[in-house]
Amino acid sequence: DVKVTQSSRYLVKRTGEKVFLECVQDMDHENMFWYRQDPGLGLRLIYFSYDVKMKEKGDIPEGYSVSREKKERFSLILESASTNQTSMYLCASSLAAGSASFTVYEQYFGPGTRLTVT
Amino acid sequence: QQQVKQSPQSLIVQKGGISIINCAYENTAFDYFPWYQQFPGKGPALLIAIRPDVSEKKEGRFTISFNKSAKQFSLHIMDSQPGDSATYFCAATNTDKLIFGTGTRLQVFP
């Protein structure tokens, strides 16, 4: 059974704290993604990684950074948490495009981390 | 040009009815259009997807209708059941990165 796990389901942090959100996938996927989900705004891509140590900015990277030291692990870092970063954070992984399969673009999501910054 | 517009934001349907969610896109280079389903407390999961070389794809009670000239696609849920109550996201892409719609919260009442 394929799996994407996230380190915490719920997290409460104070303004200015450094926050680490961890994501691990067991499917040997090349691609990993971090999204935030807010009501009425859908899923917005924060960062994307297509290989170890490689990263690409998504639509809303400001205030975030990422780290991918191992293929299976992708971390999202909030350098100095702010109240406007209170949100649901979702990690996903997928095979890389170019595979000879219709499902190459399917993304598998973790259960999410609900982060509250007070 | 990268946006995917989704409507309605919420939908209430009676059990046995048809649920219809619509999406529109601008980028004609998009070549893959999935729908994701998300239950409360869970991450989204792929429900059904279509390529633009077909106008319709059906899997059980779920059907995607695709109109390439209008740059629109929709999800139809036939015989809607309370277990279908979830948030549905359309998406589009021609790369590794999905562009998601804003989501539709569907509630099916018995």
Side-chain angles (χ1 to χ4, degrees):
Chain A
D1 195 20
V2 296
K3 218 167 189 179
V4 178
T5 56
Q6 295 184 229
S7 51
S8 306
R9 294 301 302 271
Y10 300 94
L11 211 51
V12 179
K13 296 291 182 180
R14 293 200 180 277
T15 303
E17 276 193 85
K18 191 169 187 176
V19 181
F20 293 88
L21 302 182
E22 302 275 327
C23 176
V24 178
Q25 52 97 2
D26 66 358
M27 295 166 283
D28 202 34
H29 284 168
E30 293 87 358
N31 297 333
M32 295 189 76
F33 308 83
W34 275 107
Y35 295 91
R36 63 177 283 176
Q37 180 178 7
D38 300 287
L41 297 177
L43 298 167
R44 293 181 292 167
L45 182 65
I46 304 171
Y47 265 99
F48 160 53
S49 170
Y50 51 91
D51 201 351
V52 175
K53 297 191 186 294
M54 306 303 287
K55 62 184 179 185
E56 190 175 307
K57 291 180 181 178
D59 300 318
I60 50 165
E62 298 78 17
Y64 304 95
S65 62
V66 290
S67 172
R68 193 167 179 202
E69 297 296 319
K70 294 185 178 181
K71 190 176 185 180
E72 68 272 17
R73 190 178 297 269
F74 192 35
S75 302
L76 180 69
I77 303 153
L78 287 67
E79 295 289 342
S80 177
S82 64
T83 54
N84 63 10
Q85 292 179 311
T86 291
S87 185
M88 171 68 82
Y89 290 88
L90 289 162
C91 175
S93 71
S94 76
L95 288 167
S99 303
S101 165
F102 181 77
T103 60
V104 294
Y105 299 118
E106 179 175 1
Q107 292 186 15
Y108 293 85
F109 284 82
T113 296
R114 183 162 295 282
L115 172 67
T116 302
V117 182
T118 62
Chain B
Q1 201 180 15
Q2 287 293 96
Q3 277 189 320
V4 176
K5 294 184 180 178
Q6 183 172 348
S7 63
Q9 190 169 2
S10 64
L11 185 59
I12 299 173
V13 172
Q14 204 155 18
K15 179 182 174 182
I18 302 173
S19 304
I20 302 174
I21 305 170
N22 300 299
C23 285
Y25 64 98
E26 290 295 322
N27 188 345
T28 55
F30 287 155
D31 66 354
Y32 177 75
F33 302 87
W35 285 88
Y36 279 74
Q37 180 188 53
Q38 183 182 29
F39 292 107
K42 305 281 188 183
L46 180 65
L47 180 63
I48 186 173
I50 197 168
R51 297 271 189 189
D53 52 345
V54 297
S55 60
E56 186 175 282
K57 182 172 181 181
K58 186 174 181 180
E59 288 184 5
R61 296 183 294 108
F62 300 90
T63 300
I64 300 179
S65 296
F66 186 82
N67 186 331
K68 190 173 182 177
S69 60
K71 292 185 285 186
Q72 294 175 347
F73 59 110
S74 59
L75 176 70
H76 295 237
I77 307 174
M78 311 300 288
D79 187 26
S80 298
Q81 299 296 313
D84 297 330
S85 297
T87 299
Y88 293 82
F89 294 96
C90 63
T93 190
N94 60 330
T95 70
D96 291 288
K97 293 182 287 186
L98 292 171
I99 311 297
F100 283 94
T102 50
T104 296
R105 186 183 175 207
L106 171 65
Q107 294 174 275
V108 182
F109 285 95

